[in-house]
Amino acid sequence: MATEKARIAAASRLRADSPVARRRRLVERLVQAVLFLAAFSAVAITVAIVATLLIESATFFRHVSLWEFLTDTQWTPLFENARYGIAPLVAGTLTTSLVALLVAVPLGTITAIYLSEFAKPRVREVVKPILELISGVPTVVFGYFALLFVTPLLQKFMPGLPGFNMLGPGIVIGIMIVPYISSLSEDAMRAVPMHLREASYAMGASRFQTALRVVVPAALSGIVASYVLGISRAVGETMVVAIAAGQQPNLTFDPTEAAATITAYIVQVAMGDLPHGSIGYQSIFAAGLTLFAITLFFNLIGHWVRRRYREAY
Amino acid sequence: MRLTPEQLHSLSVRHKAKDLAFEVIGLVVMLVSLLVLAALFAQLVADGLVRINGSFFLEFPSRRAEQAGILSAWVGSLLVMLVTAFAAVPIGVAAGIYLEEYAGKGWLAQAIEINVSNLAGVPSIIYGLLALGLLVYGLGLGQSILTAGLTLGMLILPIVIVATREALRAVPGTIREASFGLGATRWQTIRHHVLPYSSAGILTGIIIGLSRAIGETAPIITIGALTFIAFLPPAPITATPPFLNMDWLASPFTVMPIQMFNWVSRPDPAFHVNAAAAGVVLVAMTLLMNATAIWLRYRARKRIKW
């Protein structure tokens, strides 16, 4: 018995030391290292984003005090008499996002509840891929819709509405993010186990009561996470507002006025030919840093909501 | 509280009515959002279709709207996509394999995971700023096809990684165990078994990522791409040896969404027709790619029964 064991051990030692085995181990280690480097590139990109934004903004903040950046009410970095208050851009960003959410949250939530709890499987199987298809449409096309269809249509009901405004783009961004919200919320509601619904029905609850008081609360973390993703998309949306909102920094929360968002400002500057290293060039990095901070904030809230309110079934 | 049969009956009737009411409301809301979108696309097609003919694809942009075409735009999009695919696919698939098959639960693996999911939520224009600061000026790549392709490659990397991981996760562990049991190493198992079985899923993710990249405008504008390009980049394939010419990587370019943005931003309505036509082409391209991806996934699910 003991000799048997010793022989096996000797044999395996022999195999582990053989050139074939050694080559195999080397290949394994090499492959693993290469794969790790690829995975690590995600970290490298994040570091590069933060570093680029910080380094270029640092030069900007050497000319402009952080206090002025945060409190001044005008944003005119390209004018003779330059003012560097980010507030008008933030106001434009928040206003268009708010309009978008007022459209997307009700439409998306009702569609999700309908698809998950009421629709026949056939309907769901047809509508879900359509929603996925819509979320692949380029945003520049939605900008075209905002400028040339939605705003002229709105002007029929609101004669005073200017050609560039935040209402039209806001509505279009809202329509654009309905598929995200409805698709993710529907996934969350479908993940609610059947026995919760069955228990509700057994207590005599109707389909609507079950949907509203059992399924929606149970899926709330996923639903809220989809809202947060929607906010993040709306805040970072660029082309719709760059085309249809007017590109004029304007400290207002009135959606019927023209204004610029952070993203639209970056596009506007990039379209012109500002010399590399000028303060106007650096101002887009300061604006980008602000945008990055805002979306990071919402993304972190999303993570937190998903973790904090996840229901354990 | 006790209810008489009559009360119970009326209660159930009321609830049934509510159910029906919500069902109708839900259907209407869903149809309204779908119909609004359908109407918008129908308008786009109605406006743009008149301009779509052979010469629209073969002409350069022009000052005169009726003569302008999208030749430089679709060629540019094609070349940029080539670079994007070459950058994002190997790195994305490799990263997906590492995270799914190798990474443990350590802090490093967690940090990478958090980074991947955070990158997916970073607005695309931020990638443009990264490319402007790092690639255009930092590394001196200029406003070239190479810069644009790498930028979009970074942008779709999270999509490819996530899709790869999902595809790998769908391969049951028994396959791996069988392979290990026969003495195969981890990499042999992945290369000969896990990867081939998950290739349909990975391909789906790659197509969706590329279709996202083809429609992206903001990051390309941010790196300073020109909107008016009346020439083609040098051909990648030449008639004389060495047959491959890499000069096109450094060439200025334009892409489909930028061409459309340029036309839509002009005050002259004649150019809006061109914008609509470019929009039809763009939407057709992305829808086709997405539909292929959805179909692939559907087929892969049907074919493979674990």
Side-chain angles (χ1 to χ4, degrees):
Chain A
M1 200 58 199
T3 48
E4 181 83 347
K5 242 183 197 168
R7 226 182 294 148
I8 290 174
S12 58
R13 211 176 305 132
L14 194 72
R15 288 200 50 192
D17 285 343
S18 72
V20 177
R22 215 180 294 165
R23 235 195 72 216
R24 273 177 87 180
R25 273 205 307 274
L26 194 72
V27 169
E28 281 297 309
R29 243 178 248 158
L30 207 72
V31 165
Q32 187 168 354
V34 169
L35 294 178
F36 172 77
L37 277 184
F40 195 74
S41 67
V43 179
I45 291 176
T46 309
V47 171
I49 287 176
V50 175
T52 308
L53 291 178
L54 283 181
I55 290 169
E56 300 279 355
S57 310
T59 340
F60 174 82
F61 285 116
R62 222 168 286 149
H63 292 274
V64 181
S65 73
L66 191 62
W67 180 250
E68 184 188 350
F69 186 68
L70 293 176
T71 57
D72 200 330
T73 55
Q74 281 186 49
W75 178 260
T76 55
L78 308 180
F79 290 6
E80 198 82 11
N81 192 355
R83 302 277 293 274
Y84 302 98
I86 194 74
L89 296 185
V90 173
T93 304
L94 293 183
T95 308
T96 47
S97 303
L98 197 68
V99 173
L101 287 180
L102 287 177
V103 173
V105 164
L107 288 184
T109 312
I110 292 176
T111 303
I113 295 176
Y114 173 75
L115 278 180
S116 154
E117 304 300 312
F118 288 86
K120 294 189 176 63
R122 281 271 288 269
V123 176
R124 188 163 45 224
E125 263 163 46
V126 173
V127 172
K128 265 239 151 183
I130 294 181
L131 290 178
E132 280 180 50
L133 274 180
I134 290 166
S135 51
V137 171
T139 54
V140 66
V141 175
F142 282 100
Y144 177 92
F145 293 155
L147 181 70
L148 295 174
F149 298 141
V150 175
T151 292
L153 194 68
L154 289 172
Q155 280 170 328
K156 285 198 181 128
F157 303 103
M158 309 163 68
L161 193 71
F164 290 118
N165 59 71
M166 293 191 277
L167 192 57
I171 291 173
V172 168
I173 296 174
I175 294 174
M176 204 175 93
I177 57 180
V178 164
Y180 294 113
I181 292 185
S182 59
S183 184
L184 284 178
S185 297
E186 202 250 358
D187 287 343
M189 286 188 232
R190 294 257 283 162
V192 173
M194 217 50 191
H195 58 75
L196 287 185
R197 292 187 189 85
E198 282 156 5
S200 171
Y201 293 142
M203 302 279 283
S206 71
R207 200 172 260 269
F208 183 58
Q209 284 174 318
T210 306
L212 217 59
R213 303 208 187 145
V214 176
V215 179
V216 169
L220 200 62
S221 74
I223 296 173
V224 173
S226 84
Y227 295 167
V228 175
L229 179 79
I231 297 174
S232 190
R233 294 259 162 194
V235 167
E237 193 353 85
T238 309
M239 295 323 292
V240 179
V241 284
I243 290 172
Q247 304 201 341
Q248 288 163 341
N250 187 356
L251 184 53
T252 176
F253 290 97
D254 177 2
T256 60
E257 284 186 45
T261 63
I262 298 176
T263 52
Y265 172 73
I266 297 174
V267 165
Q268 188 188 3
V269 169
M271 296 287 291
D273 35 19
L274 271 181
H276 169 59
S278 67
I279 184 118
Y281 167 85
Q282 281 148 1
S283 72
I284 62 177
F285 288 93
L289 187 63
T290 313
L291 177 68
F292 186 72
I294 295 174
T295 50
L296 190 67
F297 172 73
F298 282 121
N299 287 342
L300 290 180
I301 289 186
H303 276 293
W304 181 76
V305 164
R306 240 170 315 177
R307 207 176 283 176
R308 173 75 178 70
Y309 292 101
R310 200 195 320 259
E311 289 264 332
Y313 304 121
Chain B
M1 182 176 71
R2 286 214 137 181
L3 298 176
T4 65
E6 291 77 34
Q7 282 173 317
L8 208 58
H9 179 72
S10 80
L11 193 65
S12 120
V13 166
R14 269 211 315 277
H15 277 160
K16 281 219 172 98
K18 265 192 190 166
D19 279 3
L20 189 69
F22 185 82
E23 187 160 1
V24 171
I25 291 171
L27 190 66
V28 166
V29 163
M30 190 184 76
L31 286 180
V32 162
S33 22
L34 289 178
L35 283 179
V36 166
L37 282 161
L40 291 176
F41 286 117
Q43 275 276 356
L44 183 77
V45 173
D47 287 355
L49 217 52
V50 288
R51 282 291 287 123
I52 294 184
N53 51 36
S55 67
F56 185 65
F57 289 92
L58 295 175
E59 291 291 336
F60 287 111
S62 155
R63 262 171 237 291
R64 264 170 294 196
E66 318 77 57
Q67 291 173 6
I70 54 171
L71 179 61
S72 47
W74 70 257
V75 172
S77 275
L78 209 68
L79 293 175
V80 169
M81 280 313 109
L82 204 64
V83 180
T84 303
F86 263 94
V89 171
I91 297 182
V93 172
I97 294 174
Y98 181 83
L99 288 175
E100 201 56 40
E101 305 283 335
Y102 287 88
K105 291 261 175 248
W107 64 271
L108 197 58
Q110 289 237 331
I112 295 174
E113 298 234 358
I114 292 170
N115 262 295
V116 171
S117 67
N118 261 341
L119 280 181
V122 170
S124 62
I125 198 159
I126 299 286
Y127 285 91
L129 287 175
L130 165 67
L132 181 66
L134 185 71
L135 301 178
V136 175
Y137 292 114
L139 299 178
L141 298 180
Q143 295 151 354
S144 59
I145 291 177
L146 182 62
T147 303
L150 292 179
T151 310
L152 294 180
M154 289 192 277
L155 180 72
I156 67 168
L157 196 62
I159 301 176
V160 178
I161 294 177
V162 170
T164 303
R165 295 188 65 176
E166 269 167 22
L168 294 178
R169 209 173 302 151
V171 178
T174 47
I175 303 243
R176 295 181 185 83
E177 283 155 20
S179 173
F180 291 145
L182 289 174
T185 62
R186 189 168 285 269
W187 176 238
Q188 284 170 333
T189 303
I190 292 167
R191 214 177 70 131
H192 297 301
H193 300 281
V194 181
L195 265 187
Y197 300 143
S198 53
S199 56
I202 296 176
L203 194 62
T204 308
I206 292 172
I207 296 174
I208 288 177
L210 285 179
S211 93
R212 167 96 191 275
I214 217 168
E216 274 296 343
T217 325
I220 311 264
I221 285 186
T222 311
I223 63 173
L226 301 172
T227 52
F228 190 92
I229 295 272
F231 56 85
L232 289 184
I237 298 164
T238 53
T240 52
F243 301 112
L244 277 179
N245 181 2
M246 285 295 153
D247 290 347
W248 58 276
L249 284 173
S251 169
F253 68 99
T254 191
V255 289
M256 286 293 297
I258 290 196
Q259 185 63 72
M260 183 180 175
F261 174 61
N262 175 251
W263 280 334
V264 111
S265 318
R266 293 189 187 210
D268 182 358
F271 281 105
H272 292 166
V273 179
N274 285 2
V280 172
V281 176
L282 201 53
V283 170
M285 284 194 309
T286 51
L287 288 193
L288 211 66
M289 289 173 84
N290 276 308
T292 311
I294 291 173
W295 176 78
L296 255 176
R297 188 164 56 198
Y298 178 74
R299 222 184 69 126
R301 260 186 212 157
K302 261 198 140 166
R303 203 162 47 98
I304 302 176
K305 291 249 158 52
W306 300 111

